[in-house]
């Protein structure tokens, strides 16, 4: 049963939803992929104005929660980046360092857990497969289509369970 006395949740992805990863895509385009360099460059991600504005507007009525496929080892850098952008404070759900399941599975698992006792008003994500599965599960979704899709990132999210 959901607790209607608390504000609903607005759940935001990070990479290519709030943070522009274009400058670090090159680390995923080489073989072997350089995951350490890819994640080490995340603190330099420029903010995506459309995503930032939506997160700030959502905070008027919702508690903002962040749901990313980034590994737990990136927590400190990620929290610093969120704060530097002036984004609302909120819980940050990250992938376990050893979790290689597809993003659509890990994120749907967290969404369902959040929905057990809170109303999840919206998920904002750029990953079409995550969005498709969330919609099928009954969640309201905003597809963050404000950056160019990256085949390397999509493969990393779905095929390698890395982000």
């Amino acid at each position: 049963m959901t607790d209607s006395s608390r504000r609903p949740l607005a759940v935001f992805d990070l990479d290519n939803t709030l943070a522009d990863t274009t400058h670090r895509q090159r680390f995923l385009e080489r073989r072997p992929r350089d995951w350490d360099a890819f994640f080490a460059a995340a603190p330099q991600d420029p903010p995506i104005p459309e995503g930032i504005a939506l997160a700030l507007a959502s905070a008027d009525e919702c508690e903002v929660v962040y749901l990313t496929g980034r590994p737990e080892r990136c927590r400190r850098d990620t929290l610093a980046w969120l704060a530097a952008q002036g984004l609302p404070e909120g819980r940050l759900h990250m992938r376990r360092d050893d979790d290689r399941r597809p993003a659509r599975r890990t994120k749907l698992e967290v969404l369902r857990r959040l929905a057990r006792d809170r109303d999840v008003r919206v998920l904002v994500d750029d990953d079409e497969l995550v969005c498709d599965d969330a919609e099928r599960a009954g969640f309201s979704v905003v597809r963050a289509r404000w950056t160019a899709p990256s085949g390397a990132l999509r493969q990393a999210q779905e095929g390698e369970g890395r982000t």
Side-chain angles (χ1 to χ4, degrees):
M1 175 175 254
T2 60
D3 180 351
S4 59
S5 67
R6 294 188 287 169
R7 295 181 346 145
L9 302 177
V11 181
F12 282 81
D13 172 49
L14 296 179
D15 292 338
N16 292 329
T17 297
L18 298 174
D20 186 345
T21 66
T22 304
H23 72 103
R24 54 188 171 109
Q25 297 294 326
R26 67 186 186 277
F27 299 116
L28 300 182
E29 293 164 356
R30 50 175 83 149
R31 297 282 183 214
R33 298 183 199 277
D34 188 345
W35 290 105
D36 290 338
F38 179 76
F39 289 120
Q44 286 75 50
D45 288 353
I48 298 172
E50 296 90 339
I52 301 295
L54 187 55
L56 293 171
S58 295
D60 290 342
E61 294 183 14
C62 299
E63 177 184 330
V64 174
V65 174
Y66 303 99
L67 174 57
T68 181
R70 291 180 186 184
E72 185 64 41
R73 70 181 181 271
C74 299
R75 180 171 291 274
R76 183 177 301 145
D77 284 346
T78 300
L79 289 170
W81 186 91
L82 291 166
Q85 308 316 311
L87 285 160
E89 287 188 25
R91 288 177 284 164
L92 172 60
H93 297 270
M94 302 183 86
R95 182 188 295 270
R96 287 186 333 266
D97 287 335
D98 62 348
D99 189 346
R100 297 289 184 260
R101 294 175 296 154
R104 65 184 186 274
R105 288 192 48 216
T106 60
K107 288 185 175 184
L108 194 57
E109 185 178 282
V110 172
L111 283 170
R112 286 181 169 139
R113 192 168 59 240
L114 291 171
R116 280 189 213 136
D117 66 352
R118 295 291 286 279
D119 173 35
V120 176
R121 180 164 296 170
V122 67
L123 166 69
V124 183
D125 202 302
D126 70 305
D127 184 323
E128 294 291 336
L129 295 174
V130 169
C131 292
D132 290 346
D133 283 3
E135 284 178 335
R136 276 193 288 275
F139 292 98
S140 177
V141 171
V142 171
R143 293 171 188 259
R145 292 180 173 148
W146 32 80
T147 61
S150 162
L153 186 59
R154 179 171 294 114
Q155 175 61 31
Q157 291 169 325
E158 298 305 324
E160 299 176 30
R162 292 285 194 149
T163 182

